[in-house]
Amino acid sequence: MAATGLLGFNPYGKTQALDISSKPTQLAIQLEQKEQAKKEALDKYLMDYEKSINPAGMRKVESDIFLKKLADNKAFYIQNRDKILNPAKYGYDAQSQYMSNFKDMTNIIDQSKQAAAQDKLATQHFIAQKDLNAPDGYAEALAASHLPITDPRYRPLDVTQYKFYKSHDPMEYANKIYSKIPLSESAPVPLPVKEMPGYFYTKTTSKVSPEYRDAILKEGYNNYVNDEGLRKEINQVFDTNKDEVKRLEAKYNTKIPNAQALAGIYTWDLQPVKELTSDARPSAEYSSKLIASRQKGRASSGAEVAKFLEGGVTALKTADAKFINDYFAPWKAQTKTGTGGDIIGFQNIELLPNGQVKVNYSTPMTKSKRGTSFVFANPQSRIFNPESKSLLQELTSLHQEILGSSVKAEDVAYANPPKPSTDGKAAKPKGPAGIDWSNK
């Protein structure tokens, strides 16, 4: 029987042996081996492909997703290995799906690294705000940025869209508004001293002139728009503190229709008001009555009292501290000692840099504890302008206050008045008639 078949032998012959040295056989084997080597190489390449993916730098929340996808893709490969390695026989769908899964994992890595960088930027931005407050919506946006990037609710956080703000500080805000606005000072208003009949004090009030009202109201309106801390504070007052809104409406006789209008009135209401009060002093009428009553039981005449005080006016104009203190030394005759050993009464007179003189003294202050009274010194001071036209009247008032009810100190005050120094530091004053101040 003739040989048939590609291998050159009769398949039906029983004594014919396979000639593996024939070229067709060798070629078939080589082709098979080559295909197997290609398949093994492809298998190794696909199995090791994951090593080329670097997940370093991913966020933890995406790292878990990546690892699961990696495990799922390995399982897919094992289940579809023949199809993946034999695309010519089974088509390319399985192999394409396998590689597409890797591409999806690579995208997750890239997006996760980008999200990690944005998280770091958000953290640095938050730390830089220090004690500032986060604006509305920031917490929700931050939470959304921390979701996995595969979550449909995920949104990257854009820090430029959120402006942190400082809590409203009324004192700081008022200083910012009014620090450059001059205050208008009222004329001194005399007021009686309730605890001391016949005495009065003056009060001077300084406040913002009404001419600034419209400008300050407008600034309050604008700050409501630009100052988040102020806006939140004003909104809270307008929505929850109706009594305060009514108080401001009544005080300024106006209707406050909305929170922005309230911001303007609130700003105007913060205007500073300064009140200065003088020391208590007897009125001119009371001083005259007091002097007249004191003269009844004293050795010195009223004329001598007048001369002493007129001489005191002249003394204050010498700018000679030693002479001034010597001249008014008789005031110390009325000093007393308090319960704690402190001196009550006249202390000294200072020359101030601006040319004025400051008289330091103290008045008695009584405190009771468990039925026992204690007397303490209450520090006082009076400042005089030597060039003041009312200096004599002011000095007379202080003279009565320091000497109190005793007239003995006055008797000593007129016997030997001191002389001004001759060291050239102060001019010799010209004393009133009846008092010889010349050097002898």
Side-chain angles (χ1 to χ4, degrees):
M1 180 179 291
T4 61
L6 293 175
L7 298 179
F9 66 94
N10 182 359
Y12 303 102
K14 294 183 179 180
T15 58
Q16 193 75 20
L18 178 64
D19 183 5
I20 60 173
S21 64
S22 66
K23 291 184 178 180
T25 301
Q26 291 177 351
L27 179 60
I29 293 174
Q30 290 174 358
L31 288 175
E32 181 66 22
Q33 290 176 341
K34 187 175 181 180
E35 289 299 323
Q36 183 63 29
K38 286 173 60 179
K39 185 182 296 185
E40 290 176 356
L42 179 60
D43 184 35
K44 183 175 182 353
Y45 169 77
L46 294 177
M47 288 294 290
D48 292 345
Y49 185 79
E50 64 183 65
K51 295 180 180 179
S52 66
I53 300 176
N54 181 13
M58 290 181 66
R59 301 192 305 178
K60 179 66 170 60
V61 66
E62 282 89 30
S63 178
D64 295 340
I65 296 174
F66 167 79
L67 293 176
K68 185 177 184 308
K69 282 184 173 291
L70 185 62
D72 290 345
N73 207 33
K74 283 184 177 180
F76 177 82
Y77 183 84
I78 293 172
Q79 294 173 2
N80 299 276
R81 187 169 187 171
D82 288 341
K83 294 179 181 180
I84 293 173
L85 296 177
N86 295 282
K89 181 178 181 180
Y90 298 102
Y92 286 86
D93 290 345
Q95 190 179 96
S96 296
Q97 181 62 49
Y98 181 69
M99 297 307 295
S100 177
N101 291 343
F102 276 121
K103 184 177 181 181
D104 183 40
M105 284 184 275
T106 302
N107 289 337
I108 290 178
I109 293 174
D110 293 340
Q111 294 176 29
S112 181
K113 289 180 180 180
Q114 184 178 358
Q118 291 173 331
D119 287 350
K120 182 178 180 180
L121 179 63
T123 300
Q124 293 173 340
H125 176 262
F126 182 82
I127 294 175
Q129 306 311 307
K130 296 183 178 178
D131 298 328
L132 299 182
N133 302 303
D136 294 339
Y138 180 83
E140 294 77 7
L142 183 64
S145 72
H146 289 164
L147 292 172
I149 58 175
T150 55
D151 192 311
R153 297 170 298 169
Y154 168 78
R155 293 290 183 277
L157 179 65
D158 183 0
V159 296
T160 63
Q161 298 300 313
Y162 296 93
K163 184 178 180 181
F164 282 62
Y165 67 93
K166 188 175 183 180
S167 296
H168 179 64
D169 184 335
M171 295 296 293
E172 183 178 320
Y173 179 68
N175 184 63
K176 175 184 175 182
I177 300 295
Y178 293 101
S179 60
K180 297 181 180 180
I181 298 179
L183 300 182
S184 299
E185 184 177 300
S186 68
V189 178
L191 298 169
V193 181
K194 295 180 180 179
E195 301 81 5
M196 302 172 64
Y199 280 73
F200 73 97
Y201 68 95
T202 59
K203 182 172 74 173
T204 303
T205 303
S206 299
K207 56 184 180 180
V208 178
S209 172
E211 66 181 278
Y212 292 98
R213 184 177 185 275
D214 291 343
I216 291 176
L217 288 175
K218 184 177 181 180
E219 187 165 1
Y221 302 154
N222 294 336
N223 289 335
Y224 176 82
V225 176
N226 301 319
D227 187 336
E228 182 71 14
L230 174 66
R231 180 166 60 253
K232 284 187 173 294
E233 178 68 20
I234 294 299
N235 286 344
Q236 191 273 335
V237 172
F238 187 78
D239 293 337
T240 65
N241 195 347
K242 298 301 181 183
D243 289 340
E244 175 63 8
V245 176
K246 291 179 180 178
R247 182 190 73 82
L248 292 173
E249 287 180 334
K251 182 176 180 179
Y252 297 106
N253 190 27
T254 186
K255 179 66 178 175
I256 302 177
N258 52 49
Q260 187 171 15
L262 174 61
I265 296 297
Y266 168 81
T267 303
W268 176 246
D269 191 57
L270 287 177
Q271 60 182 284
V273 177
K274 296 181 180 179
E275 293 184 344
L276 297 177
T277 58
S278 67
D279 295 329
R281 61 190 66 180
S283 64
E285 180 182 1
Y286 182 75
S287 294
S288 300
K289 292 180 179 179
L290 185 61
I291 292 175
S293 64
R294 286 158 61 95
Q295 297 308 313
K296 293 181 180 179
R298 65 187 307 282
S300 303
S301 67
E304 290 175 322
V305 176
K307 291 177 182 178
F308 175 76
L309 294 174
E310 289 174 1
V313 170
T314 307
L316 293 179
K317 296 181 178 182
T318 64
D320 185 334
K322 183 178 184 305
F323 172 68
I324 294 173
N325 277 278
D326 288 345
Y327 187 89
F328 289 99
W331 279 353
K332 291 187 177 181
Q334 186 62 9
T335 56
K336 299 177 182 179
T337 303
T339 305
D342 42 349
I343 301 301
I344 301 173
F346 173 72
Q347 294 175 0
N348 57 44
I349 297 178
E350 301 177 55
L351 297 183
L352 302 180
N354 60 2
Q356 295 180 326
V357 292
K358 180 181 180 183
V359 181
N360 298 308
Y361 65 101
S362 60
T363 55
M365 178 174 59
T366 304
K367 294 184 179 180
S368 297
K369 186 177 182 181
R370 297 178 182 178
T372 305
S373 296
F374 300 91
V375 180
F376 299 93
N378 182 27
Q380 304 282 341
S381 65
R382 191 80 65 82
I383 295 178
F384 296 112
N385 179 1
E387 304 303 324
S388 173
K389 295 180 179 179
S390 60
L391 181 58
L392 180 58
Q393 181 182 350
E394 296 173 16
L395 194 59
T396 302
S397 170
L398 180 61
H399 180 73
Q400 303 298 332
E401 183 177 354
I402 289 181
L403 295 182
S405 59
S406 174
V407 294
K408 293 182 179 179
E410 290 182 347
D411 290 334
V412 226
Y414 321 118
N416 296 299
K419 302 173 183 178
S421 62
T422 57
D423 57 2
K425 293 183 180 179
K428 299 178 183 178
K430 297 180 180 179
I435 300 181
D436 183 7
W437 283 19
S438 61
N439 290 319
K440 294 182 180 180

